[in-house]
Amino acid sequence: MTIELLYFAWVRERIGKASETVSPPADVATVADLIDWLARDSAVHAAAFVDRGRLRAAVDQTFVPLDAPLGSAREVAIFPPVTGG
Amino acid sequence: MTIELLYFAWVRERIGKASETVSPPADVATVADLIDWLARDSAVHAAAFVDRGRLRAAVDQTFVPLDAPLGSAREVAIFPPVTGG
Amino acid sequence: MIAVTVSPAVIDAGVEFAAISMTGAGGIATFVGLVRGDDGVATLALEHYPGATEAALEALAEQSVARWELIGARITHRVGDMHPGEIVVFVGTAARHRGAALEACAFLIDRLKTEAPFWKKETRGDQTSWVEPRGSDDAAAARWKA
Amino acid sequence: MIAVTVSPAVIDAGVEFAAISMTGAGGIATFVGLVRGDDGVATLALEHYPGATEAALEALAEQSVARWELIGARITHRVGDMHPGEIVVFVGTAARHRGAALEACAFLIDRLKTEAPFWKKETRGDQTSWVEPRGSDDAAAARWKA
């Protein structure tokens, strides 16, 4: 499975890039699994994701809770709570 | 007592003038008394005031119910319910 | 900043908006009532009670500023003859936060409809009639009783 | 008529108002959020999620049109760097009756604040910080649950 990851706001700044393409193993089933997997091998990701309660996500541009299944997601975005308007 | 009467909207149209100056007798104590007194001697006023429930009034530019006292009013306005905005 | 104007001059929404937004506030809410183009009215004539109208609008504006801690309130109401698509009334409120601006704007237009001495006469073809008050306006105004 | 725009272009309230008022509706409600001039922010930077933002705003506009039988809904949101007094967002609603326009306008700005993927970063002097979400925004959005 190949996923295009997008980061926004301070998540983007802490990770140091706006996007990256990853291929997680099959046991990465939810957004939360994906975050754990990214944090496992990268101190930068681990630091950006340290406070899970402040993270929000979208799968293929639909907002989802972190325990949502990835399914056959092509695009996953991880970002802080929104503050527009 | 001399009172400047002002009429607006269809009250003005039915009476045929926008204002008139009247000197009612001392027993004309309220706005309703004033309306009754005006209607007593004038068929035109009687016709304009026939449906009291559709009349509103202001005494010296303050909106009042028809049973409000005239006191030492200098200006009394009689008009339909407002429909602005 | 309270600004109340009652005049036969054409109302320019851009000019009105610029005036209320000059307050440095974070949120501006406006309501604009126009002569509707969809119900056959060719001319709308607005009559008012000079002096009493301005006093009523200023009293409403002052109430709104006090109740919602507004930075500004602006009411501009046209009188005389007007035509479809033209602005009858502009209400603008400026506040630090959007909830205050939006609520105060709704308050002002609701109360203006029942408390300010304006009367509307519509001409459709060769028929002319005074607009009847609506019970829904009284209900809308009543919900703001403090 | 639904119109949603997300762009770095400066927002002109007069142009926006003219667009939403061209619907022939009797009532136009608008809310405009500006960069506040009173709390020391020199630059406000708006980041967004291209594609998802427009979809979220269009979904909100469609909900508002269906729920309040609007004649038109217009949302114009700026992104990129902006300065005090400049417009961040314009929301305009057009309806036959004022209550619908006013409520729908409040709905759109409340929900936009919590559902559209925008993020604000403020620069004050040489300090830059991301704006934290406010609980009051969640509460404002929640009151519109059907």
Side-chain angles (χ1 to χ4, degrees):
Chain A
M1 179 164 60
T2 298
I3 294 176
E4 175 81 359
L5 280 168
L6 302 178
Y7 305 121
F8 294 104
W10 54 254
V11 175
R12 171 182 56 71
E13 287 183 338
R14 290 182 193 178
I15 289 176
K17 49 188 153 187
S19 67
E20 59 185 320
T21 305
V22 297
S23 297
D27 64 340
V28 170
T30 67
V31 176
D33 290 345
L34 180 63
I35 289 170
D36 289 341
W37 177 75
L38 289 161
R40 193 174 309 142
D41 297 323
S42 159
V44 168
H45 287 75
F49 298 151
V50 68
D51 186 353
R52 301 291 162 89
R54 298 182 67 209
L55 298 179
R56 300 291 181 273
V59 170
D60 290 333
Q61 305 203 350
T62 298
F63 291 74
V64 294
L66 296 190
D67 61 0
L70 290 172
S72 54
R74 301 171 61 100
E75 180 178 298
V76 174
I78 302 171
F79 45 79
V82 305
T83 54
Chain B
M1 179 165 59
T2 297
I3 294 176
E4 175 81 358
L5 280 168
L6 302 179
Y7 305 121
F8 294 104
W10 54 254
V11 175
R12 172 181 55 72
E13 289 184 338
R14 290 183 192 178
I15 289 178
K17 48 188 152 187
S19 66
E20 60 185 319
T21 304
V22 297
S23 297
D27 64 340
V28 170
T30 68
V31 177
D33 290 345
L34 179 62
I35 289 171
D36 290 340
W37 178 76
L38 289 162
R40 192 175 309 144
D41 296 323
S42 159
V44 168
H45 287 76
F49 297 151
V50 68
D51 186 354
R52 301 291 160 88
R54 298 181 68 209
L55 298 179
R56 301 291 181 271
V59 170
D60 289 333
Q61 305 204 351
T62 298
F63 292 76
V64 295
L66 295 191
D67 61 0
L70 290 172
S72 54
R74 302 172 60 99
E75 178 178 298
V76 174
I78 302 172
F79 45 79
V82 304
T83 55
Chain C
M1 186 209 72
I2 286 174
V4 165
T5 307
V6 179
S7 151
V10 169
I11 297 175
D12 179 322
V15 170
E16 296 300 317
F17 184 84
I20 188 65
S21 67
M22 266 176 197
T23 50
I28 308 290
T30 73
F31 176 79
V32 171
L34 301 105
V35 184
R36 270 165 53 184
D38 64 352
D39 62 357
V41 173
T43 304
L44 180 70
L46 247 296
E47 181 169 335
H48 77 124
Y49 183 170
T53 315
E54 291 84 348
L57 298 182
E58 274 161 26
L60 286 176
E62 280 163 17
Q63 284 176 51
S64 73
V65 166
R67 182 162 169 182
W68 283 279
E69 297 182 12
L70 301 182
I71 297 167
R74 185 175 183 84
I75 304 173
T76 306
H77 206 299
R78 191 167 167 197
V79 291
D81 286 359
M82 52 202 90
H83 303 287
E86 293 182 341
I87 296 175
V88 182
V89 58
F90 172 96
V91 173
T93 52
R96 289 174 60 85
H97 299 296
R98 72 182 183 285
L102 286 161
E103 280 191 28
C105 183
F107 163 89
L108 284 173
I109 188 67
D110 282 347
R111 294 283 288 265
L112 180 158
K113 290 255 177 190
T114 58
E115 294 186 18
F118 292 105
W119 299 272
K120 279 178 179 160
K121 186 159 76 167
E122 295 176 339
T123 300
R124 288 183 172 79
D126 55 4
Q127 297 274 30
T128 290
S129 59
W130 291 95
V131 173
E132 287 293 315
R134 300 188 311 172
S136 61
D137 285 338
D138 291 329
R143 73 190 169 107
W144 297 108
K145 295 291 177 223
Chain D
M1 185 209 74
I2 287 175
V4 165
T5 307
V6 179
S7 150
V10 170
I11 296 175
D12 179 323
V15 170
E16 296 300 317
F17 184 85
I20 188 66
S21 67
M22 267 177 197
T23 52
I28 309 289
T30 74
F31 177 79
V32 170
L34 301 105
V35 183
R36 269 165 50 187
D38 63 353
D39 62 356
V41 172
T43 305
L44 180 70
L46 246 296
E47 181 169 336
H48 77 124
Y49 183 171
T53 314
E54 290 84 347
L57 298 182
E58 274 161 26
L60 286 176
E62 281 163 17
Q63 284 176 51
S64 72
V65 167
R67 183 163 169 182
W68 284 279
E69 297 181 12
L70 301 182
I71 297 167
R74 184 175 183 86
I75 305 174
T76 305
H77 205 299
R78 189 166 168 198
V79 291
D81 286 359
M82 54 202 88
H83 301 103
E86 293 182 341
I87 296 176
V88 182
V89 59
F90 172 95
V91 173
T93 54
R96 288 174 60 86
H97 299 295
R98 72 182 184 285
L102 286 161
E103 280 192 27
C105 183
F107 164 89
L108 285 173
I109 188 67
D110 282 348
R111 293 284 288 267
L112 180 159
K113 291 255 178 192
T114 58
E115 295 185 17
F118 291 104
W119 298 273
K120 279 179 179 160
K121 187 160 76 169
E122 295 175 340
T123 300
R124 287 183 172 78
D126 55 3
Q127 297 275 31
T128 291
S129 59
W130 290 95
V131 172
E132 287 293 315
R134 299 190 310 172
S136 61
D137 286 337
D138 291 329
R143 76 192 167 105
W144 298 107
K145 294 294 177 219

